[in-house]
Amino acid sequence: MDAVGQYDPFTYRITKAGDVLISRGGRLVTTVRGSAAARLADRLDRDEASDQALLQRATGNYRRGNER
């Protein structure tokens, strides 16, 4: 498997209602709503590394050995 295939980043979509839908590997992982979604949306779209760190924290997949 090549390096790109080994790293499966989180993706996100912001709905018209302001919800942040977070996916990984084509599957929906979690939905962030309300004020937490607004804070997250404001911080996203700066650079790939910080986006991935924010999405990891939002899904709870941070500092558990599965950050990749």
Side-chain angles (χ1 to χ4, degrees), residues 31-59:
T31 301
V32 182
R33 293 188 168 100
S35 61
R39 283 191 309 273
L40 180 59
D42 286 342
R43 293 177 176 173
L44 287 170
D45 207 22
R46 294 191 179 153
D47 65 68
E48 185 65 22
S50 67
D51 286 355
Q52 289 301 309
L54 289 168
L55 296 171
Q56 289 168 356
R57 287 183 182 111
T59 62

Side-chain angles (χ1 to χ4, degrees), residues 9-66:
F10 288 94
T11 58
Y12 68 94
R13 185 169 61 95
I14 301 173
T15 66
K16 288 182 181 181
D19 297 344
V20 179
L21 307 175
I22 303 173
S23 301
R24 186 170 186 199
R27 293 183 175 197
L28 182 64
V29 176
T30 193
T31 301
V32 182
R33 293 188 168 100
S35 61
R39 283 191 309 273
L40 180 59
D42 286 342
R43 293 177 176 173
L44 287 170
D45 207 22
R46 294 191 179 153
D47 65 68
E48 185 65 22
S50 67
D51 286 355
Q52 289 301 309
L54 289 168
L55 296 171
Q56 289 168 356
R57 287 183 182 111
T59 62
N61 287 327
Y62 189 73
R63 296 285 180 199
R64 294 186 184 161
N66 56 355

